[in-house]
Amino acid sequence: MQNVTYILVFLLGTATAYKNVTKEFVVPLDHFGFQRNETFKIRYIESDEYWNRGNGPIFFYTGNEGQIEEFAKHTGFMWEIAREFEAKIVFAEHRYYGKSMPFGDKSLDNEHIGYLTSAQALADYAQLVNFLQGGKSLKPKYPVIAFGGSYGGMLAAYFRMKYPHLVTGAIAASAPVHMFSDMVPCEVFHRIVTSSFNVASKVCRDNIRQSWNVLRTFVANKTNADWLKKQWNLCVAVNDSKGDVQDLVDYLQTMYETLAMVNYPFATDFLLPLPANPVRSVCQYLSQKLTGQKLLEGIGKVLQVYSNYNGKGDCVDYKNTDYGNLNASGWDYQACTEMVMPMCTNGVDDMFEPRPWNYTQFSEDCHKKYKVYPRPDAAWLEYGGDRLQAASNIIFSNGLLDPWAGGGLLSSISDTIKAVVMIDTAHHLDLMPKNPNDPESVKMARQEHKRNIEQWIRNFRLNNA
Ligand SMILES: *[C@@H]1O[C@H](CO)[C@@H](O)[C@H](O)[C@H]1NC(C)=O
Ligand SMILES: *[C@@H]1O[C@H](CO)[C@@H](O)[C@H](O)[C@H]1NC(C)=O
Ligand SMILES: *[C@@H]1O[C@H](CO)[C@@H](O)[C@H](O)[C@H]1NC(C)=O
Ligand SMILES: *[C@@H]1O[C@H](CO)[C@@H](O)[C@H](O)[C@H]1NC(C)=O
Ligand SMILES: *[C@@H]1O[C@H](CO)[C@@H](O)[C@H](O)[C@H]1NC(C)=O
Ligand SMILES: *[C@@H]1O[C@H](CO)[C@@H](O)[C@H](O)[C@H]1NC(C)=O
């Protein structure tokens, strides 16, 4: 986990603090059965600073896998357009993340985690919207626009699809709604990671592809473990009889994936502190063809940028699978139940070690951890997967440098299910605070979002007049 105080200092140049309050809202533990009648509280962040209480819209962020402050802080787009739309802002925290825990610190235990589903979370959001409208007996007064990025973008889209009477339209940024079994090839994610590195430097990509063998051969000689520990600033030296080498390989793979995802044109601490254009930035250490220990030294420098950009000199904790600034422990359970997203690599179309998708293995691992088996078709059955023709008023935006775009909706399927494609951006840059380094593509995407929001609000008012 990153040190929070440092991050605040780090961001001072770019972050704007908006007036807001954090509130709590009581929701049922189980929306879909009647036997468990407990309730608990989810949190939400609210701002009425710009709101026209007469009929101003509600901009509602459907919180995803993490503490809600993190999304409120990085979704500058909503805050920046709130004034001109005279909108109320709400960021709702997803159950089982942050402080919205139904069973306190026991929530993630196997006997309590079962109420963590996207459908339960959306039902929480529906009750909250209903409350914000003043209750069901009143005609809805305020148009509600859902926003979300990544899994939050899927939720924004699904919120509109499942609750069209409550939600007027949705901006679903970088939402991998097709990243499910049999919808896209399992290689697609890592192909895009690789192509993002290729755009920065072909040599860099080739060095990374070579590095796996070099690393495995190098550490097979146990006397090299100390050199690597020192050179890479590892917390513990690799010991193959403990499975450390695989853990280190996995850590490095996650590192490249993350660098591609957050390859933003400015420095930010979203997920973790990184410099502007982080892929290009790390590729400077791998821009010449390297072999042997020289190659490992280069990878070591990449590792320092990724794990230590805050300059605190913390060792690289490659055995810890916590993900950046998001406290997203619950996501693994979601991935093991309804959000089964097959991923694989082949080492040819991507720069990783070949690793096929093995559903049997995946399913058994899930059962070991949570005593449940996944339902690989759940997202398709529940939310339509790649058959969204019947839905309306959703914008799906994607940046083509973002690995998740491989599971995104990239061409419009109707007048009201529209795709916005940014050729040169990473993961939901369009939702982030505007920045002098923003490419034209993201400025245009934000204009397009505003035009659609305006139209949805206009239609809401016509229909509710
Ligand atoms: C919300 O308010 C707190 C202070 O109460 C502030 O620290 C934070 O930055 C604000 N959030 C946003 C997104 O501006
Ligand atoms: C919840 O259920 C229990 C029995 O299971 C019952 O005693 C209690 O009154 C119920 N509470 C509410 C609020 O319905
Ligand atoms: C292991 O590495 C050490 C030091 O680099 C070297 O002296 C030794 O020959 C290597 N052993 C094998 C089996 O390659
Ligand atoms: C590596 O791990 C094995 C098994 O846990 C242990 O017996 C051995 O002492 C370890 N080696 C080193 C160098 O720590
Ligand atoms: C993340 O959430 C878990 C479960 O609630 C909690 O035990 C842990 O302390 C949290 N970690 C951080 C860094 O907030
Ligand atoms: C997939 O995993 C299962 C269970 O671990 C294993 O028995 C099977 O051989 C694997 N299949 C392939 C193609 O590797």
Side-chain angles (χ1 to χ4, degrees):
M1 279 298 139
Q2 311 297 323
N3 180 306
V4 174
T5 358
Y6 180 82
I7 288 163
L8 289 178
V9 174
F10 183 83
L11 251 201
L12 270 183
T14 51
T16 314
Y18 297 92
K19 251 189 231 157
N20 68 87
V21 287
T22 301
K23 295 187 170 174
E24 289 177 330
F25 180 68
V26 176
V27 292
L29 174 66
D30 184 5
H31 291 273
F32 305 111
F34 293 83
Q35 292 180 317
R36 295 286 301 253
N37 63 7
E38 301 101 306
T39 59
F40 72 102
K41 291 173 181 158
I42 60 166
R43 288 191 309 159
Y44 63 103
I45 291 175
E46 181 181 76
S47 175
D48 291 347
E49 197 177 355
Y50 305 118
W51 195 31
N52 174 347
R53 285 160 202 275
N55 66 352
I58 299 173
F59 287 177
F60 191 98
Y61 187 95
T62 47
N64 35 318
E65 73 285 18
Q67 62 281 26
I68 196 62
E69 292 87 347
E70 193 68 10
F71 303 115
K73 182 163 126 191
H74 292 286
T75 311
F77 176 64
M78 278 171 69
W79 298 97
E80 286 166 5
I81 66 170
R83 186 195 292 271
E84 63 183 282
F85 282 96
E86 302 185 315
K88 176 191 189 81
I89 296 238
V90 174
F91 282 83
E93 189 165 75
H94 195 297
R95 57 167 57 202
Y96 286 86
Y97 295 100
K99 296 202 169 71
S100 298
M101 293 291 185
F103 299 96
D105 56 11
K106 303 230 178 326
S107 299
L108 298 178
D109 296 353
N110 281 353
E111 66 264 44
H112 295 307
I113 203 171
Y115 299 91
L116 169 53
T117 69
S118 56
Q120 298 275 12
L122 290 173
D124 293 340
Y125 298 159
Q127 292 208 345
L128 178 53
V129 162
N130 192 43
F131 164 77
L132 297 170
Q133 288 283 13
K136 69 174 177 339
S137 57
L138 297 173
K139 210 164 154 180
K141 213 165 155 183
Y142 311 115
V144 174
I145 311 296
F147 293 76
S150 199
Y151 169 51
M154 299 165 79
L155 291 174
Y158 299 160
F159 199 22
R160 162 67 190 169
M161 285 159 51
K162 291 290 186 182
Y163 299 92
H165 54 299
L166 299 179
V167 182
T168 306
I171 303 290
S174 300
V177 287
H178 295 170
M179 200 63 104
F180 295 110
S181 308
D182 305 323
M183 288 183 212
V184 292
C186 63
E187 301 88 13
V188 71
F189 183 95
H190 292 93
R191 270 192 216 158
I192 301 175
V193 176
T194 303
S195 106
S196 288
F197 278 78
N198 189 39
V199 166
S201 151
K202 183 173 176 304
V203 180
C204 177
R205 176 203 66 183
D206 291 340
N207 276 324
I208 294 168
R209 187 183 277 140
Q210 300 309 320
S211 69
W212 309 109
N213 258 331
V214 172
L215 175 64
R216 286 191 188 273
T217 311
F218 188 71
V219 295
N221 182 338
K222 291 187 172 41
T223 60
N224 290 329
D226 281 339
W227 182 88
L228 194 71
K229 175 170 187 283
K230 206 171 286 163
Q231 190 71 37
W232 284 13
N233 192 24
L234 304 177
C235 296
V236 287
V238 292
N239 177 345
D240 209 13
S241 39
K242 289 186 174 148
D244 291 352
V245 178
Q246 191 58 49
D247 288 345
L248 185 56
V249 164
D250 291 346
Y251 185 91
L252 291 170
Q253 181 164 328
T254 302
M255 168 177 84
Y256 298 123
E257 292 164 10
T258 306
L259 288 169
M261 256 170 73
V262 299
N263 195 18
Y264 300 124
F266 45 81
T268 171
D269 69 343
F270 179 65
L271 299 188
L272 76 176
L274 283 174
N277 301 304
V279 171
R280 203 162 71 207
S281 174
V282 301
C283 275
Q284 69 183 297
Y285 304 115
L286 299 171
S287 61
Q288 291 169 34
K289 182 156 178 47
L290 300 170
T291 54
Q293 262 165 282
K294 284 280 172 232
L295 175 50
L296 295 181
E297 283 171 22
I299 304 279
K301 289 183 187 140
V302 175
L303 204 45
Q304 296 321 304
V305 174
Y306 175 72
S307 60
N308 230 330
Y309 188 60
N310 63 13
K312 288 178 60 239
D314 292 342
C315 59
V316 174
D317 194 3
Y318 64 94
K319 307 274 284 180
N320 178 354
T321 53
D322 275 1
Y323 195 62
N325 294 333
L326 291 185
N327 195 349
S329 326
W331 179 255
D332 191 49
Y333 174 80
Q334 291 197 262
C336 267
T337 49
E338 52 174 355
M339 296 289 156
V340 180
M341 298 184 176
M343 299 236 176
C344 64
T345 50
N346 63 19
V348 178
D349 302 307
D350 55 65
M351 60 184 189
F352 299 99
E353 291 186 313
R355 212 184 292 188
W357 168 248
N358 183 336
Y359 178 72
T360 313
Q361 176 80 54
F362 175 79
S363 171
E364 283 171 7
D365 288 347
C366 288
H367 191 255
K368 252 182 234 138
K369 284 187 276 190
Y370 304 111
K371 301 275 171 287
V372 296
Y373 289 109
R375 292 182 195 151
D377 290 336
W380 186 88
L381 275 169
E382 181 81 6
Y383 302 116
D386 52 2
R387 294 163 60 104
L388 302 183
Q389 289 82 351
S392 64
N393 290 7
I394 306 171
I395 303 303
F396 289 96
S397 61
N398 281 283
L400 295 187
L401 290 183
D402 175 15
W404 290 107
L409 188 145
L410 299 180
S411 46
S412 302
I413 55 180
S414 72
D415 284 351
T416 66
I417 297 290
K418 290 195 270 193
V420 168
V421 174
M422 299 163 283
I423 54 163
D424 51 359
T425 72
H427 205 42
H428 55 66
L429 178 62
D430 46 334
L431 291 189
M432 301 190 90
K434 65 171 181 269
N435 185 281
N437 296 329
D438 284 334
E440 282 310 309
S441 62
V442 80
K443 294 181 196 166
M444 284 167 63
R446 289 179 185 139
Q447 289 308 320
E448 180 67 19
H449 293 339
K450 282 169 57 176
R451 270 194 297 276
N452 283 289
I453 294 168
E454 260 163 38
Q455 194 183 340
W456 296 333
I457 292 174
R458 209 172 327 129
N459 288 346
F460 173 93
R461 291 190 176 138
L462 282 173
N463 296 335
N464 279 264

